[in-house]
Amino acid sequence: MYPAAFEYHTPGSVREALSLLGKLGDDAKLLAGGHSLIPMMKLRLAQPKHVIDLRRVPGLAGIKDDKGTIVIGAMTTHWQVESSPVLREKCPIVSDTAGVIGDPAVRNVGTIGGSLAHADPAADMPATAIAAGFEFVCEGAKGRRTVKADDWFKGLMSTAVGDDEILVEIRVPAWAAGSGGAYLKFPHPASRFAVVGAAAMVTLDGTGVCTKASVGITGAGTKAVRAKGVEAGLTGQTLDQATIEVAAQKAAEGVDVQADLQGSVEYKSHLCRVFARRAIEAAVKRAKG
Ligand SMILES: Cc1cc2nc3c(=O)[nH]c(=O)nc-3n(C[C@H](O)[C@H](O)[C@H](O)COP(=O)(O)OP(=O)(O)OC[C@H]3O[C@@H](n4cnc5c(N)ncnc54)[C@H](O)[C@@H]3O)c2cc1C
């Protein structure tokens, strides 16, 4: 398959890209790594009349530490996220998650911004975005605004970024002392997308009691969600095996689990519980050092 004809634009700045978006409206699509958009265009699931390529816009890629907040440019590739020394030191769950996306060819070209703007229901990073408390910085003609992870994922492949905005950066808080996190998934054997994925972050006090727990689930439903029941079952508790097991039983609550070729609602709900438990166990191990 090949895409329908389109006009190709290569803006040299965010301002120029925004002006094109403003002028072309619904007829335009932004292009980042193209690993989701191009296949959709080839399948004619997307037929934009204009494609605005962000790859020549300076300043949209890179990772820096801004006084305890790690700032990741939207055009930073999965590989750059996976191999970043700053992220590995300050919030390793983000690098770990990037490291299990697709294969090296996908990770070398696909971008964190493209993945989070596309919001594929089986994408990996959305679960970690919820667990690690990402903030999304969108730029439009009127300036910048910040959206919290809980308000970002709106539905199937739908996010809070406006049609006339560009996701320019993602802000990630560095782990507090006593924290640990992990992302684990049951991968589709061909694509490596998550049939179900769970990201867990915990913070333990000096006595081993959990003072904060965040858990995100992806893959099972139409969008990534926060597993609030699991978090409530962990917070204020000493995280032994039994406590984790009981809390993880609530992992599918609040997920609009979808039956598809990969499994029934029952099977995917079971995977939510199993992978939540495993991610929490790994997070606790990491928090304990
Ligand atoms: C074979 C294969 C296997 C894959 N396996 C996995 C996997 O295991 N896990 C996983 O999570 N993903 C997987 N992916 C998807 C991959 O992670 C893509 O990189 C990602 O979904 C999209 O990123 P991109 O940079 O390619 O975005 P693009 O395809 O360029 O864009 C995707 C969408 O986001 C919009 N967009 C892009 N950038 C911005 C921006 N800055 N602001 C606003 N909107 C923007 C575009 O307009 C488009 O609608 C796989 C892809 C392939 C081809």
Side-chain angles (χ1 to χ4, degrees), residues 175-197:
W175 283 6
S179 297
Y183 173 73
L184 293 171
K185 69 169 163 179
F186 186 80
H188 184 281
S191 70
R192 317 308 292 168
F193 271 102
V195 175
V196 165

Side-chain angles (χ1 to χ4, degrees), residues 2-82:
Y2 52 89
F6 60 88
E7 204 171 317
Y8 177 67
H9 304 265
T10 53
S13 66
V14 171
R15 183 183 281 209
E16 202 185 324
L18 286 172
S19 134
L20 282 165
L21 269 184
K23 201 167 69 188
L24 303 169
D26 285 353
D27 287 338
K29 271 275 178 202
L30 295 169
L31 177 74
H35 266 48
S36 293
L37 181 61
I38 302 293
M40 286 185 76
M41 287 170 65
K42 287 184 169 181
L43 292 168
R44 308 278 171 120
L45 294 171
Q47 297 194 33
K49 293 198 178 91
H50 299 268
V51 169
I52 304 170
D53 192 342
L54 293 176
R55 287 174 301 175
R56 291 192 196 163
V57 176
L60 285 181
I63 299 168
K64 60 176 191 248
D65 185 352
D66 180 16
K67 299 179 203 129
T69 298
I70 318 306
V71 182
I72 309 174
M75 289 294 286
T76 308
T77 63
H78 302 313
W79 160 246
Q80 287 167 327
V81 172
E82 177 187 357

Side-chain angles (χ1 to χ4, degrees), residues 89-94 96 128 131-132 174-183 199-205 210-215 234 239 278-289:
E89 186 197 335
K90 310 263 173 153
C91 196
I93 188 175
V94 183
D96 293 347
T128 293
W175 283 6
S179 297
Y183 173 73
M201 290 270 313
V202 296
T203 304
L204 308 180
D205 70 11
C210 175
T211 55
K212 190 173 174 212
S214 295
V215 178
L234 300 173
L239 301 185
R278 291 183 187 171
I280 298 160
E281 285 168 357
V284 170
K285 201 168 165 197
R286 219 167 194 174
K288 288 181 174 168

Side-chain angles (χ1 to χ4, degrees), residues 28-40 54 60 74-75 78 100-103 106 109-120 122-126 161-162 165-168 185 190-194:
K29 271 275 178 202
L30 295 169
L31 177 74
H35 266 48
S36 293
L37 181 61
I38 302 293
M40 286 185 76
L54 293 176
L60 285 181
M75 289 294 286
H78 302 313
V100 296
I101 292 174
D103 55 26
V106 172
V109 179
T111 66
I112 186 168
S115 176
L116 291 165
H118 188 60
D120 190 300
D124 297 296
M125 201 54 88
V161 69
E165 288 182 314
I166 298 173
L167 171 62
V168 287
K185 69 169 163 179
S191 70
R192 317 308 292 168
F193 271 102

Side-chain angles (χ1 to χ4, degrees), residues 195 257-269 271:
V195 175
V257 182
Q258 305 287 311
D260 55 21
L261 286 175
Q262 275 121 65
S264 62
V265 168
E266 226 172 22
Y267 175 66
K268 286 178 147 192
S269 303
L271 287 181

